[in-house]
Amino acid sequence: GQEGIPQGGAGVMLESARPEDREAVEALARQVHRLHVAWRPDLYVMPEELYPACLYNQALEQKSLFVARLEGLVAGYLRVRRLDVEGNGLVPRRELVVEELCVREDLRGQGIGTRMLQEAAVLAKAFGCTSLRLGAYPQNEEALAFYQKLGFTVRSVTLEQNL
């Protein structure tokens, strides 16, 4: 497991991903990426692999990839990155950014995602972060409601104009 992350309630434990988890993480990543492709085909395509061995191993080395285990099975995964924010006119701070989060569709509604984000907050504090940040597409109403229920608030809105 990852130091500083408590064992989860309801039998869920967030821990550093292992080499043998790649197939399960790939399946979950494809589940999420299919939504992105459907919502934004102008930006996303489905590659042969989202986590080929080289990218997966890089994430393991960076200790940025975590899995939630439920009775030994990969129930979800989380990829994070630390972001140090500094600059003229900015309050210096460190954030933990959740880049990817997924719970297996057949296991949703059991508190796994809630526990994963609670444990991510513990990890963020251990890293000296002052906030946990993530993004979601407006079409993903279920995810937006879930994040807001957990206390996340909208911090900014990104607008674009296609040319």
Side-chain angles (χ1 to χ4, degrees):
Q2 181 72 21
E3 200 174 305
I5 299 178
Q7 293 204 359
V12 176
M13 186 173 108
L14 192 64
E15 61 183 45
S16 292
R18 302 189 294 239
E20 60 269 23
D21 296 327
R22 185 166 78 94
E23 191 175 307
V25 170
E26 174 70 25
L28 290 169
R30 294 183 82 75
Q31 183 180 299
V32 171
H33 200 71
R34 272 193 291 276
L35 295 174
H36 293 167
V37 170
W39 291 327
R40 293 298 310 261
D42 58 320
L43 298 180
Y44 298 103
V45 296
M46 187 59 80
E48 192 172 316
E49 283 184 301
L50 288 160
Y51 276 102
C54 59
L55 288 178
Y56 187 80
N57 292 335
Q58 183 180 44
L60 295 185
E61 288 167 19
Q62 294 170 346
K63 299 192 183 311
S64 63
L65 192 60
F66 298 87
V67 295
R69 293 194 195 280
L70 183 60
E71 298 171 9
L73 297 173
V74 174
Y77 86 99
L78 175 75
R79 187 171 62 84
V80 298
R81 73 179 161 94
R82 282 183 271 185
L83 177 64
D84 289 315
V85 179
E86 52 189 57
N88 192 21
L90 296 176
V91 174
R93 63 191 181 280
R94 174 174 285 170
E95 300 176 332
L96 189 68
V97 181
V98 176
E99 297 282 0
E100 297 174 31
L101 169 69
C102 181
V103 173
R104 270 180 37 180
E105 285 175 326
D106 61 335
L107 296 176
R108 290 187 184 158
Q110 298 181 36
I112 295 167
T114 298
R115 191 64 193 160
M116 288 172 68
L117 285 171
Q118 288 169 341
E119 293 186 16
V122 171
L123 180 64
K125 288 177 186 173
F127 286 148
C129 298
T130 56
S131 66
L132 185 61
R133 182 162 55 102
L134 50 77
Y137 278 107
Q139 300 94 321
N140 198 345
E141 293 172 7
E142 186 180 323
L144 291 170
F146 169 67
Y147 297 138
Q148 289 176 336
K149 185 181 95 175
L150 292 180
F152 286 83
T153 58
V154 175
R155 186 170 92 178
S156 66
V157 176
T158 302
L159 304 171
E160 79 180 321
Q161 181 181 53
N162 288 332
L163 303 175

